[in-house]
Every structure is written in C-alpha cells, then in structure tokens.
Amino acid sequence: MPEQQQTGLVIALVGAESTGKSTLAAALAPRVAELTGWPCTWVPEHLREWCDAQGRTPREDEQEAIALEQARRIELAAATHAVVLADTTPLMTAVYHRQVFGSEMLDAMALAWQRRCALTLLTALDLPWEPDGLQRDGPQVREPVDNRLRELLVGAGLAFAVVSGSGERRVETALDAMGPVLRLRRAPRAGLLTRLQDRDAAQPAWLWACDSCDQPECEHAAFKQRARKAGSLQRG
C-alpha cells in the first residue's frame, strides 16, 4: 500500500453491521469542529457506494481494490483537515474478506494501515439490527465479525475504545474516548478539553475489565478474559 501522506488525525470507526458507524461518524464531525475549532470531516464507507453502483456485493478478487480506495479517500481528507472520522477502514474489508471468502490475505495490509490511525473506535453490538440493502447479511454475523475485529486488534497490539449507548449517549462516549488523542494537539479554545478534564477528574484511578467502558486497556483485558474462559470450556 502506498505511503500515507497526511496532516490530520484519523479516527477510525469499525464494527459489525448495523452498529451505527455511519450515524456516529456524521454526528461526531461537526461536534469535534465546534468544540475544538479545528477543520473536521468524515469519510463515508466506499463499499456502500460501490454496491449501490454495481447492484451487487463484490467478488473476492474485487475486495483489495475496495480497501485501497477507502484508504485513499481517508488520506485525501486527512491532507486538508485536522481530524478525519473514517466510517470504516481497510480493516473492515479484511474482516469481511475472511468472513465471506475464508481468506486472511488482506489482514497484514489492513493492520499495517490501521496502525496509522490515531485512535480506533469499535462500535458495540447494543443497537438493534436493521436491514439496509445489499450490505447487510443478517444479525447472525454481527458477533463473529465483532469477535474477529477484537482478535485482530488485540493480536496486533492496537489500542481501541468500545463505543456503546444509543443516540447522544453514544456520541458522548465516543467524544470521551477521543479526548486523550485530541489533547495532544493544541486547541484554539477550551470547549472539549475543559469537558474532558472534568470527566477525567470524576473517573476512578483504575477500571477493571468491563465490556462497556471506553478504556482501551480495560477492553483488552476483558477480551483476553473471555478468550481464556472460552478455551477452558472447550478443554472441559
């Protein structure tokens, strides 16, 4: 994959189907711009556009090009914006490539690109599944996709934050998770940073493994704990 030339922070939104990625990205972009004063945008999922144009889902040999085009669009947006919300990344293409075609060929490329993201937000499975044209395979695929995403992210040592809740609560959870990354840049006005400082002051010093918190280390511990439990049950 070509080298990424970008100036903006890329916040990746990944998750199983019908978990509100597009809605969340569209809601976060203006909020971040308003609270920080930075130019911010979001990049829609290329696969949706592709399926609408072709009237079908992609073949196995078409998946890599879709992943590369998604990456290209994110990189173009990052060249002219301080923050970019990416409604999926090549990682989602890789996950579905394995889910549908049984191939892990795209995993290495997708994980290498994911490392360039300032933060990965994983949308939780707490929203009801809804049909949405060619892209939706059914509620039965959501858990396997979610598990595969966690497996790849944890295995690659990539920090991520789980975003749960509905409506404004989901947006607020995402903003809280984004705070530490955004604080690394100088903000032209207090807004978001002041709110995040207040939130941090109210948090306990340490949160143990919890499926719904937005602390990446805690989520990693929870995933590993579930994996150990599953392995024990299989051996039993």
Side-chain angles (χ1 to χ4, degrees):
M1 180 176 292
E3 282 297 313
Q4 186 182 33
Q5 301 297 324
Q6 67 176 51
T7 58
L9 296 174
V10 175
I11 310 295
L13 279 73
V14 299
E17 64 182 51
S18 198
T19 55
K21 296 184 294 296
S22 300
T23 300
L24 182 59
L28 283 172
R31 286 289 298 276
V32 171
E34 176 187 2
L35 291 167
T36 65
W38 303 337
C40 179
T41 191
W42 72 288
V43 177
E45 183 183 20
H46 172 54
L47 176 61
R48 179 184 298 275
E49 176 186 318
W50 193 97
C51 289
D52 288 345
Q54 300 296 324
R56 61 178 176 84
T57 55
R59 300 188 306 266
E60 181 175 1
D61 63 299
E62 295 169 321
Q63 294 272 52
E64 183 176 8
I66 290 171
L68 292 173
E69 177 61 16
Q70 182 72 29
R72 187 188 71 84
R73 294 184 180 195
I74 296 169
E75 290 160 9
L76 283 176
T80 55
H81 294 82
V83 182
V84 175
L85 284 303
D87 175 13
T88 79
T89 66
L91 185 61
M92 286 307 309
T93 309
V95 168
Y96 280 109
H97 195 66
R98 181 178 185 266
Q99 177 77 16
V100 176
F101 302 108
S103 171
E104 298 179 3
M105 184 187 75
L106 300 181
D107 287 3
M109 174 272 288
L111 286 169
W113 196 92
Q114 197 72 20
R115 291 186 185 281
R116 303 171 180 180
C117 298
L119 176 67
T120 296
L121 300 177
L122 174 62
T123 47
L125 303 179
D126 56 344
L127 298 182
W129 182 87
E130 296 179 359
D132 185 19
L134 293 170
Q135 288 181 276
R136 298 287 165 85
D137 294 318
Q140 74 281 355
V141 306
R142 297 209 303 174
E143 188 170 340
V145 168
D146 182 79
N147 287 340
R148 180 59 177 171
L149 278 168
R150 293 167 186 261
E151 179 184 356
L152 287 172
L153 289 167
V154 172
L158 292 170
F160 62 95
V162 176
V163 179
S164 59
S166 60
E168 184 62 19
R169 173 56 185 162
R170 209 173 188 85
V171 174
E172 289 295 318
T173 300
L175 285 172
D176 287 341
M178 292 166 62
V181 172
L182 297 177
R183 268 200 299 267
L184 296 176
R185 289 202 169 195
R186 182 178 177 183
R189 61 177 186 268
L192 178 62
L193 302 187
T194 299
R195 189 179 73 82
L196 288 168
Q197 288 168 356
D198 292 342
R199 172 186 178 272
D200 290 346
Q203 293 295 314
W206 170 251
L207 295 176
W208 182 239
C210 167
D211 286 342
S212 61
C213 84
D214 63 359
Q215 303 296 320
E217 296 83 3
C218 178
E219 179 60 32
H220 290 178
F223 178 82
K224 290 176 181 177
Q225 194 174 68
R226 288 196 299 271
R228 286 195 298 268
K229 183 177 179 181
S232 299
L233 290 175
Q234 290 177 355
R235 289 192 296 271

